[in-house]
Amino acid sequence: MIRIQVPATSANLGSGFDSLGIALTLYNQIWMEEDDRLDISCKDSVVVPTDESNLIYWAVKQLYQECGRKLPGLKLIQENNIPLARGLGSSSACIVAGILGANRLLGNPFSRSDLVNLAAKIEGHPDNTSPAIEGGLVVSAMEGERIYSVSVPVSDKLQFAVFIPPFELKTEMARSVLPETYSRTDAVYNLSRSALMTASLFSGKLENLRVAVGDRIHQPYRSGLIDHCDTVFRMSYELGSLGTYISGSGPTIIAMVPTESMKDFIAHAETHMKEKGISGWQVRFLGVDSEGAQVSLD
Ligand code: HSE
Protein backbone atom coordinates (compact mmCIF):
# COMPACT_ATOMS: atom_id res chain seq x y z
CA MET A 1 0.00 0.00 0.00
CA ILE A 2 1.08 3.60 -0.32
CA ARG A 3 0.75 6.06 2.53
CA ILE A 4 -0.02 9.74 2.07
CA GLN A 5 0.49 12.24 4.88
CA VAL A 6 -1.23 15.60 4.41
CA PRO A 7 -0.94 18.63 6.74
CA ALA A 8 -3.78 20.75 8.07
CA THR A 9 -3.83 24.24 6.59
CA SER A 10 -4.99 27.65 7.72
CA ALA A 11 -6.18 29.86 4.88
CA ASN A 12 -6.52 33.64 4.55
CA LEU A 13 -4.41 34.59 7.62
CA GLY A 14 -6.92 37.40 8.05
CA SER A 15 -6.18 39.72 5.14
CA GLY A 16 -5.16 37.26 2.39
CA PHE A 17 -8.63 36.06 1.38
CA ASP A 18 -8.44 33.17 -1.13
CA SER A 19 -4.70 33.73 -1.62
CA LEU A 20 -2.62 33.15 1.55
CA GLY A 21 -2.38 29.85 3.42
CA ILE A 22 -0.06 28.09 5.80
CA ALA A 23 0.61 24.39 6.45
CA LEU A 24 0.46 23.31 10.10
CA THR A 25 1.95 20.39 12.04
CA LEU A 26 -1.26 18.36 12.30
CA TYR A 27 -1.69 15.53 9.80
CA ASN A 28 -4.15 13.13 8.23
CA GLN A 29 -2.72 9.77 7.14
CA ILE A 30 -4.23 7.86 4.26
CA TRP A 31 -3.32 4.41 2.95
CA MET A 32 -4.50 3.25 -0.47
CA GLU A 33 -4.07 0.62 -3.15
CA GLU A 34 -5.97 -0.44 -6.27
CA ASP A 35 -8.49 -3.18 -5.60
CA ASP A 36 -11.29 -4.82 -7.55
CA ARG A 37 -13.94 -3.21 -5.31
CA LEU A 38 -14.41 -0.12 -3.14
CA ASP A 39 -13.37 -0.76 0.49
CA ILE A 40 -13.15 2.33 2.74
CA SER A 41 -12.41 2.19 6.46
CA CYS A 42 -11.10 4.45 9.25
CA LYS A 43 -8.50 3.84 11.95
CA ASP A 44 -10.46 6.14 14.28
CA SER A 45 -14.07 6.78 15.20
CA VAL A 46 -14.61 9.62 12.69
CA VAL A 47 -17.56 8.85 10.42
CA VAL A 48 -16.69 9.30 6.73
CA PRO A 49 -18.67 8.23 3.65
CA THR A 50 -17.73 4.68 2.65
CA ASP A 51 -19.38 4.83 -0.78
CA GLU A 52 -18.57 6.66 -4.02
CA SER A 53 -19.32 10.02 -2.38
CA ASN A 54 -16.11 9.72 -0.31
CA LEU A 55 -14.05 12.82 -1.22
CA ILE A 56 -10.67 11.05 -1.34
CA TYR A 57 -12.07 8.34 -3.60
CA TRP A 58 -13.73 10.99 -5.76
CA ALA A 59 -10.40 12.86 -6.14
CA VAL A 60 -8.57 9.61 -7.03
CA LYS A 61 -11.17 8.98 -9.72
CA GLN A 62 -10.73 12.52 -11.12
CA LEU A 63 -7.00 11.96 -11.62
CA TYR A 64 -7.56 8.56 -13.26
CA GLN A 65 -10.04 10.24 -15.61
CA GLU A 66 -7.52 13.01 -16.46
CA CYS A 67 -5.16 10.18 -17.52
CA GLY A 68 -7.86 8.37 -19.48
CA ARG A 69 -7.61 5.41 -17.10
CA LYS A 70 -10.48 3.55 -15.42
CA LEU A 71 -10.18 3.00 -11.67
CA PRO A 72 -11.10 -0.64 -11.01
CA GLY A 73 -11.78 -0.16 -7.28
CA LEU A 74 -9.87 1.11 -4.28
CA LYS A 75 -8.90 0.01 -0.79
CA LEU A 76 -8.69 3.14 1.33
CA ILE A 77 -7.85 3.50 5.03
CA GLN A 78 -8.17 6.92 6.68
CA GLU A 79 -6.75 8.32 9.90
CA ASN A 80 -8.46 11.67 10.42
CA ASN A 81 -6.66 14.03 12.77
CA ILE A 82 -7.75 17.27 11.08
CA PRO A 83 -11.18 18.16 12.50
CA LEU A 84 -13.97 18.34 9.91
CA ALA A 85 -15.54 21.64 8.79
CA ARG A 86 -13.54 23.72 11.27
CA GLY A 87 -11.49 25.92 8.91
CA LEU A 88 -8.35 23.77 9.04
CA GLY A 89 -8.42 22.43 5.49
CA SER A 90 -10.00 19.00 6.05
CA SER A 91 -11.62 18.89 2.61
CA SER A 92 -8.45 20.11 0.88
CA ALA A 93 -6.51 17.40 2.72
CA CYS A 94 -8.87 14.79 1.20
CA ILE A 95 -8.52 16.24 -2.31
CA VAL A 96 -4.73 16.44 -2.01
CA ALA A 97 -4.49 12.90 -0.61
CA GLY A 98 -6.64 11.62 -3.46
CA ILE A 99 -4.75 13.23 -6.32
CA LEU A 100 -1.24 12.70 -4.91
CA GLY A 101 -2.07 9.06 -4.10
CA ALA A 102 -3.58 8.46 -7.55
CA ASN A 103 -0.59 10.09 -9.21
CA ARG A 104 1.73 7.63 -7.43
CA LEU A 105 -0.53 4.63 -8.26
CA LEU A 106 -0.35 5.69 -11.93
CA GLY A 107 3.46 6.02 -11.94
CA ASN A 108 3.70 9.81 -11.40
CA PRO A 109 2.47 11.13 -14.77
CA PHE A 110 1.82 14.61 -13.30
CA SER A 111 4.34 17.12 -11.91
CA ARG A 112 3.84 18.83 -8.52
CA SER A 113 2.77 22.02 -10.26
CA ASP A 114 0.17 20.09 -12.33
CA LEU A 115 -1.15 18.69 -9.04
CA VAL A 116 -1.28 22.18 -7.45
CA ASN A 117 -3.38 23.34 -10.44
CA LEU A 118 -5.70 20.35 -10.36
CA ALA A 119 -6.25 20.48 -6.57
CA ALA A 120 -7.20 24.18 -6.72
CA LYS A 121 -9.51 23.56 -9.67
CA ILE A 122 -11.36 20.87 -7.69
CA GLU A 123 -11.51 22.95 -4.47
CA GLY A 124 -12.35 26.23 -6.25
CA HIS A 125 -9.64 28.32 -4.52
CA PRO A 126 -5.94 27.58 -3.92
CA ASP A 127 -5.29 28.87 -0.40
CA ASN A 128 -5.67 25.50 1.38
CA THR A 129 -4.65 23.10 -1.39
CA SER A 130 -1.36 24.87 -2.31
CA PRO A 131 0.11 24.86 1.24
CA ALA A 132 -1.16 21.29 1.79
CA ILE A 133 0.98 20.22 -1.19
CA GLU A 134 3.93 22.59 -0.87
CA GLY A 135 4.22 23.24 2.90
CA GLY A 136 5.24 26.55 4.51
CA LEU A 137 3.49 29.84 3.92
CA VAL A 138 2.13 29.82 0.39
CA VAL A 139 1.00 32.79 -1.66
CA SER A 140 -1.14 31.75 -4.62
CA ALA A 141 -2.79 33.55 -7.51
CA MET A 142 -5.18 31.94 -9.96
CA GLU A 143 -4.82 33.01 -13.62
CA GLY A 144 -7.37 31.18 -15.73
CA GLU A 145 -6.94 27.52 -14.77
CA ARG A 146 -3.34 27.96 -13.64
CA ILE A 147 -2.00 28.61 -10.16
CA TYR A 148 1.07 30.80 -9.72
CA SER A 149 2.38 30.17 -6.22
CA VAL A 150 5.43 30.44 -4.02
CA SER A 151 6.12 28.78 -0.68
CA VAL A 152 8.29 30.67 1.79
CA PRO A 153 9.52 29.62 5.24
CA VAL A 154 8.06 31.28 8.34
CA SER A 155 10.10 32.78 11.17
CA ASP A 156 10.51 30.31 14.05
CA LYS A 157 9.96 33.18 16.50
CA LEU A 158 6.23 32.45 16.45
CA GLN A 159 3.77 29.57 16.66
CA PHE A 160 0.04 29.19 16.16
CA ALA A 161 -2.42 28.84 19.07
CA VAL A 162 -5.46 27.13 17.62
CA PHE A 163 -8.91 27.53 19.23
CA ILE A 164 -11.18 24.82 17.79
CA PRO A 165 -14.85 25.19 18.74
CA PRO A 166 -17.16 22.23 19.30
CA PHE A 167 -19.32 23.11 16.26
CA GLU A 168 -18.91 23.02 12.47
CA LEU A 169 -19.21 25.83 9.94
CA LYS A 170 -19.45 24.80 6.31
CA THR A 171 -17.40 26.90 3.87
CA GLU A 172 -20.36 27.22 1.51
CA MET A 173 -22.43 28.80 4.26
CA ALA A 174 -19.56 31.08 5.37
CA ARG A 175 -19.08 32.26 1.75
CA SER A 176 -22.78 32.91 1.26
CA VAL A 177 -22.74 35.80 3.79
CA LEU A 178 -20.05 37.76 1.91
CA PRO A 179 -20.88 40.79 -0.25
CA GLU A 180 -20.57 40.60 -4.05
CA THR A 181 -18.57 43.83 -4.33
CA TYR A 182 -16.20 45.93 -2.20
CA SER A 183 -15.06 49.54 -2.31
CA ARG A 184 -11.62 50.55 -3.57
CA THR A 185 -10.75 51.64 -0.01
CA ASP A 186 -11.52 48.16 1.29
CA ALA A 187 -9.58 46.51 -1.55
CA VAL A 188 -6.50 48.62 -0.77
CA TYR A 189 -6.93 47.97 2.96
CA ASN A 190 -6.72 44.21 2.37
CA LEU A 191 -4.11 44.02 -0.35
CA SER A 192 -1.66 46.19 1.63
CA ARG A 193 -2.15 44.04 4.71
CA SER A 194 -1.83 40.67 2.96
CA ALA A 195 1.48 41.80 1.42
CA LEU A 196 2.56 43.01 4.88
CA MET A 197 1.55 39.64 6.38
CA THR A 198 3.67 37.66 3.92
CA ALA A 199 6.78 39.80 4.34
CA SER A 200 6.41 39.98 8.14
CA LEU A 201 5.95 36.22 8.67
CA PHE A 202 8.92 35.53 6.41
CA SER A 203 11.23 38.12 8.00
CA GLY A 204 10.05 37.73 11.59
CA LYS A 205 8.94 41.38 11.93
CA LEU A 206 6.35 40.29 14.46
CA GLU A 207 5.21 43.77 15.53
CA ASN A 208 3.51 44.13 12.11
CA LEU A 209 1.20 41.14 12.55
CA ARG A 210 -1.56 42.89 14.49
CA VAL A 211 -2.08 45.31 11.61
CA ALA A 212 -1.44 42.64 8.97
CA VAL A 213 -4.39 40.46 10.11
CA GLY A 214 -6.76 43.41 9.52
CA ASP A 215 -9.46 42.54 7.02
CA ARG A 216 -12.58 44.06 5.47
CA ILE A 217 -13.40 41.25 3.05
CA HIS A 218 -14.63 38.32 5.13
CA GLN A 219 -14.03 38.39 8.90
CA PRO A 220 -16.47 41.22 9.72
CA TYR A 221 -19.22 39.20 7.98
CA ARG A 222 -18.31 35.85 9.49
CA SER A 223 -17.61 36.67 13.13
CA GLY A 224 -21.36 36.67 13.88
CA LEU A 225 -21.55 33.04 12.74
CA ILE A 226 -19.08 31.96 15.45
CA ASP A 227 -20.32 31.85 19.05
CA HIS A 228 -17.89 33.63 21.44
CA CYS A 229 -15.77 34.94 18.53
CA ASP A 230 -15.33 38.45 19.94
CA THR A 231 -14.57 37.10 23.43
CA VAL A 232 -11.87 34.75 22.12
CA PHE A 233 -10.30 37.54 20.02
CA ARG A 234 -10.27 39.96 22.98
CA MET A 235 -8.91 37.33 25.38
CA SER A 236 -6.14 36.35 22.94
CA TYR A 237 -4.91 39.94 22.70
CA GLU A 238 -5.08 40.37 26.49
CA LEU A 239 -2.86 37.28 26.78
CA GLY A 240 -0.27 38.58 24.31
CA SER A 241 -1.34 37.43 20.84
CA LEU A 242 0.66 39.10 18.07
CA GLY A 243 -2.26 38.80 15.66
CA THR A 244 -5.53 36.86 15.79
CA TYR A 245 -7.70 35.81 12.86
CA ILE A 246 -10.49 33.45 11.80
CA SER A 247 -8.80 30.43 10.22
CA GLY A 248 -10.07 29.96 6.65
CA SER A 249 -13.83 30.33 6.68
CA GLY A 250 -13.96 29.47 10.42
CA PRO A 251 -15.06 28.57 12.97
CA THR A 252 -11.51 27.94 14.30
CA ILE A 253 -9.72 31.05 15.57
CA ILE A 254 -5.93 31.28 15.48
CA ALA A 255 -3.64 33.49 17.55
CA MET A 256 -0.01 33.98 16.50
CA VAL A 257 2.08 33.88 19.66
CA PRO A 258 5.82 34.25 20.38
CA THR A 259 7.28 30.73 20.60
CA GLU A 260 8.81 31.28 24.03
CA SER A 261 5.51 32.30 25.65
CA MET A 262 3.24 29.73 23.93
CA LYS A 263 2.92 27.26 26.85
CA ASP A 264 1.87 30.02 29.29
CA PHE A 265 -0.50 31.47 26.68
CA ILE A 266 -2.31 28.13 26.27
CA ALA A 267 -2.54 27.51 30.03
CA HIS A 268 -3.96 31.00 30.68
CA ALA A 269 -6.35 30.76 27.72
CA GLU A 270 -7.80 27.50 29.03
CA THR A 271 -8.33 29.00 32.48
CA HIS A 272 -9.95 32.17 31.09
CA MET A 273 -12.29 30.20 28.84
CA LYS A 274 -13.40 28.06 31.76
CA GLU A 275 -14.04 31.18 33.85
CA LYS A 276 -16.09 32.72 31.04
CA GLY A 277 -18.14 29.53 30.61
CA ILE A 278 -16.85 28.84 27.10
CA SER A 279 -16.84 25.07 27.03
CA GLY A 280 -16.02 22.31 24.57
CA TRP A 281 -13.31 24.27 22.74
CA GLN A 282 -9.99 22.54 22.09
CA VAL A 283 -6.96 24.80 22.55
CA ARG A 284 -3.58 23.63 21.26
CA PHE A 285 -0.48 24.97 19.63
CA LEU A 286 0.90 24.01 16.24
CA GLY A 287 4.03 24.88 14.32
CA VAL A 288 4.49 25.39 10.60
CA ASP A 289 4.92 22.30 8.41
CA SER A 290 7.60 23.10 5.87
CA GLU A 291 7.46 19.92 3.74
CA GLY A 292 3.86 19.63 2.55
CA ALA A 293 2.17 16.34 1.66
CA GLN A 294 4.38 13.25 1.53
CA VAL A 295 3.76 10.00 -0.33
CA SER A 296 5.65 6.84 0.65
CA LEU A 297 5.47 3.07 0.35
CA ASP A 298 4.16 1.47 3.53
N1 HSE B 1 -10.51 31.25 1.37
C1 HSE B 1 -11.57 30.35 1.73
C2 HSE B 1 -12.67 31.15 2.40
C3 HSE B 1 -11.03 29.32 2.68
O1 HSE B 1 -12.36 31.99 3.25
O2 HSE B 1 -13.84 30.97 2.07
C4 HSE B 1 -12.06 28.32 3.09
O3 HSE B 1 -11.79 27.09 2.60
Side-chain angles (χ1 to χ4, degrees):
M1 283 193 125
I2 58 167
R3 180 170 70 93
I4 308 112
Q5 172 174 285
V6 191
T9 48
S10 174
N12 300 333
L13 297 160
S15 49
F17 182 72
D18 278 3
S19 60
L20 296 187
I22 199 159
L24 297 170
T25 52
L26 172 69
Y27 302 94
N28 278 359
Q29 311 280 350
I30 297 96
W31 291 262
M32 66 172 73
E33 65 187 6
E34 276 190 13
D35 202 357
D36 50 12
R37 65 195 181 96
L38 182 57
D39 175 7
I40 301 175
S41 58
C42 281
K43 287 201 171 205
D44 45 45
S45 55
V46 177
V47 179
V48 301
T50 54
D51 58 11
E52 299 212 348
S53 67
N54 180 287
L55 187 52
I56 301 177
Y57 171 73
W58 187 84
V60 171
K61 232 168 78 179
Q62 293 297 305
L63 202 95
Y64 271 68
Q65 267 167 21
E66 290 273 332
C67 279
R69 290 271 303 270
K70 191 168 159 23
L71 178 64
L74 192 71
K75 183 171 171 60
L76 187 64
I77 304 170
Q78 297 184 220
E79 184 187 295
N80 309 285
N81 298 308
I82 307 172
L84 300 178
R86 298 297 205 285
L88 290 168
S90 60
S91 66
S92 288
C94 290
I95 293 166
V96 166
I99 64 170
L100 263 62
N103 194 44
R104 172 62 83 91
L105 293 177
L106 290 165
N108 295 321
F110 293 102
S111 68
R112 276 232 152 186
S113 89
D114 293 334
L115 297 171
V116 165
N117 289 334
L118 188 62
K121 188 171 145 196
I122 295 174
E123 177 81 328
H125 44 86
D127 47 338
N128 289 106
T129 49
S130 298
I133 295 175
E134 299 188 57
L137 165 65
V138 181
V139 187
S140 312
M142 229 168 174
E143 179 80 23
E145 297 229 316
R146 228 187 119 182
I147 303 300
Y148 292 79
S149 68
V150 59
S151 164
V152 293
V154 173
S155 163
D156 59 9
K157 291 194 273 179
L158 86 165
Q159 289 185 326
F160 295 74
V162 184
F163 295 84
I164 308 170
F167 50 85
E168 299 186 348
L169 178 55
K170 297 262 191 266
T171 298
E172 204 184 346
M173 158 65 184
R175 288 178 90 83
S176 73
V177 300
L178 305 183
E180 283 297 324
T181 56
Y182 298 89
S183 69
R184 181 168 63 189
T185 317
D186 288 352
V188 171
Y189 184 94
N190 267 71
L191 66 86
S192 56
R193 280 161 180 76
S194 66
L196 186 69
M197 174 63 78
T198 309
S200 303
L201 284 177
F202 176 61
S203 65
K205 199 157 186 209
L206 305 186
E207 65 270 32
N208 286 344
L209 295 177
R210 187 147 182 177
V211 168
V213 288
D215 159 56
R216 292 183 181 167
I217 290 187
H218 70 109
Q219 295 181 111
Y221 306 97
R222 288 172 164 171
S223 57
L225 304 174
I226 304 169
D227 274 352
H228 305 299
C229 187
D230 292 347
T231 312
V232 173
F233 265 66
R234 208 173 322 112
M235 175 195 69
S236 74
Y237 283 120
E238 282 163 12
L239 294 176
S241 170
L242 299 160
T244 302
Y245 65 92
I246 295 174
S247 180
S249 57
T252 289
I253 295 166
I254 288 189
M256 294 179 280
V257 174
T259 303
E260 73 272 9
S261 48
M262 182 55 98
K263 287 209 168 106
D264 283 348
F265 179 93
I266 298 282
H268 287 132
E270 282 173 341
T271 310
H272 280 247
M273 288 172 90
K274 210 175 273 170
E275 281 168 11
K276 292 191 162 78
I278 304 176
S279 61
W281 289 56
Q282 218 193 101
V283 189
R284 58 186 301 181
F285 67 89
L286 297 172
V288 178
D289 166 274
S290 54
E291 305 294 325
Q294 303 292 318
V295 185
S296 56
L297 273 180
D298 211 49

